[in-house]
Amino acid sequence: MTLPKTELHVHIEGTLEPELAFALAGRNRVDLPFPDVDALRAAYDFDDLQSFLDLYYATMAVLLTERDFTDLTVAYLERAAGQGLAHAEVFFDPQAHTSRGVDLAAVIDGISAGLEIGRERWGVSSALILCFLRNLPAESAMQTLEQAMSIRADAIDGVGLDSSEVGFPPSLFDAVFARAAQLGLRKVAHAGEEAPPAYILEALDVLGVERIDHGVQAVVDPALLSRLADERTPLTVCPLSNVRLRVVDDLAQHPLRAFLEAGVLVTVNSDDPAYFGGYVGDNYVAVRDALALTDAQLAHLARNGVEASWATAERKAELHAAIDAWESDGRPA
Ligand code: HPA
Ligand code: ZN
């Protein structure tokens, strides 16, 4: 048995492997700006967040129908379940699809159907998080929220905030997050990936989020670290993403160890696994090797994921028991 894992930071569009992108391009008669899979994969050499986002949005052009979104979701769950994934809270970027004329109902229904297949086939419990693109106006976010909730309120568990970070502080989305809370949704936000700790503080104090996605820049602010630890605010850290987007120089320098030592409720996740060289299990193995983590520390990270998740109390108990069993057996990551 591999270590049972949660994944709380994965963009479903970032699980689009080049092979599936070309298969969907053929099925939908869409042209990709690359001749083949190898050429597309060769373009995965990023300087920063924006250089990644440019390619991420361009490749999404192949996602058009409900079936495409189901296929994408099932492909992700199959690969991640093979690495021990037991519970996934999945982001999607509705504005990246509606801006291309794709029907929002097809997006939500397609992903939801894929998550249901994941529950049936691999026993992966899940939640769905609607993310707003922070480089677009707050009015567009508000409109997207209202539209999504009128279509499938039952399918949406929470809201998030992603895309280009620097210059787009969380407070711009104050009213949108207040409305989300009024609608009964949970709240998370990307903060402190490339931008300074002030963005993390705004996400906490202005938007009232319960988890910070990334949050790695908190490492330079000892007062913030002790606050995060005291309040048990989860950070959804994505180690391979941080290396590929040059947020950290190399994994051996990753602040994950500092977060563990400060008692922060840190979790390990994949972000955009098709682009960053690995799924959730690959991220666990990479930090184990680079930071010389013990099995006990890996189990601790997995337990943090369970605590930070939105799984039901019953499901959390099941996951904790599975992690305990893994640890007492001393099995592979
Ligand atoms: N940061 C911000 N936006 C994103 C990311 C990320 O790492 N991945 C997909 N959208
Ligand atoms: Zn992300």
Side-chain angles (χ1 to χ4, degrees):
M1 184 179 92
T2 50
L3 174 63
K5 299 170 187 78
T6 65
E7 167 126 274
L8 309 178
H9 186 158
V10 59
H11 302 263
I12 200 64
E13 298 89 348
T15 71
L16 179 57
E17 292 284 344
E19 289 76 10
L20 182 58
F22 274 91
L24 296 180
R27 185 159 99 187
N28 291 330
R29 304 195 193 320
V30 174
D31 279 331
L32 279 169
F34 297 91
D36 54 35
V37 164
D38 289 342
L40 175 53
R41 196 165 262 125
Y44 292 3
D45 180 21
F46 309 114
D47 298 322
D48 55 13
L49 174 59
Q50 192 59 51
S51 65
F52 154 70
L53 290 170
D54 293 343
L55 186 63
Y56 169 80
Y57 293 123
T59 315
M60 268 183 224
V62 303
L63 296 167
L64 293 179
T65 67
E66 181 177 330
R67 183 180 158 208
D68 298 340
F69 285 92
T70 302
D71 290 351
L72 176 69
T73 305
V74 171
Y76 157 65
L77 291 168
E78 180 168 21
R79 290 189 71 147
Q83 300 188 354
L85 180 73
H87 177 84
E89 300 184 2
V90 173
F91 295 135
F92 74 115
D93 285 331
Q95 292 154 293
H97 310 303
T98 52
S99 63
R100 301 182 288 112
V102 175
D103 177 25
L104 183 54
V107 177
I108 303 176
D109 289 344
I111 299 170
S112 301
L115 294 176
E116 186 54 39
I117 290 170
R119 271 188 281 277
E120 289 162 10
R121 286 194 197 157
W122 302 291
V124 177
S125 49
S126 51
L128 184 59
I129 304 174
L130 182 159
C131 281
F132 306 114
L133 301 186
R134 66 203 307 159
N135 55 308
L136 297 182
E139 297 73 49
S140 166
M142 188 71 95
Q143 227 174 30
T144 302
L145 174 63
E146 299 292 356
Q147 196 191 347
M149 292 301 278
S150 71
I151 298 171
R152 281 290 310 262
D154 66 297
I156 313 286
D157 300 288
V159 295
L161 188 62
D162 65 1
S163 198
S164 320
E165 185 181 17
V166 175
F168 303 99
S171 53
L172 293 170
F173 296 87
D174 183 2
V176 184
F177 275 66
R179 176 66 180 144
Q182 197 178 55
L183 290 164
L185 295 168
R186 305 185 76 145
K187 298 178 291 185
V188 298
H190 283 52
E193 181 182 14
E194 288 188 338
Y199 279 52
I200 300 173
L201 288 168
E202 271 195 13
L204 294 171
D205 295 333
V206 181
L207 303 186
V209 301
E210 63 179 278
R211 294 195 298 244
I212 296 288
D213 297 314
H214 292 299
V216 285
Q217 303 299 340
V219 75
V220 303
D221 185 338
L224 177 55
L225 277 186
S226 35
R227 174 179 171 182
L228 293 169
D230 289 349
E231 297 179 358
R232 295 204 68 63
T233 305
L235 299 185
T236 64
V237 164
C238 307
L240 290 173
S241 166
N242 295 154
V243 173
R244 289 299 189 97
L245 300 188
R246 307 193 188 191
V247 166
V248 302
D249 289 338
D250 65 81
L251 271 187
Q253 311 297 321
H254 198 283
L256 182 74
R257 178 173 285 286
F259 294 146
L260 284 169
E261 283 165 4
V264 174
L265 185 61
V266 62
T267 66
V268 171
N269 310 272
S270 71
D271 208 7
D272 301 281
Y275 292 89
F276 300 149
Y279 285 73
V280 64
D282 301 313
N283 275 270
Y284 271 81
V285 168
V287 292
R288 180 197 64 194
D289 295 347
L291 301 173
L293 300 182
T294 62
D295 279 359
Q297 285 173 309
L298 293 180
H300 175 76
L301 287 167
R303 288 192 186 98
N304 282 354
V306 176
E307 179 176 344
S309 80
W310 304 339
T312 61
E314 190 186 3
R315 180 67 175 145
K316 284 186 178 185
E318 253 173 43
L319 296 172
H320 279 305
I323 295 166
D324 292 347
W326 177 86
E327 200 181 5
S328 57
D329 290 356
R331 296 307 168 105

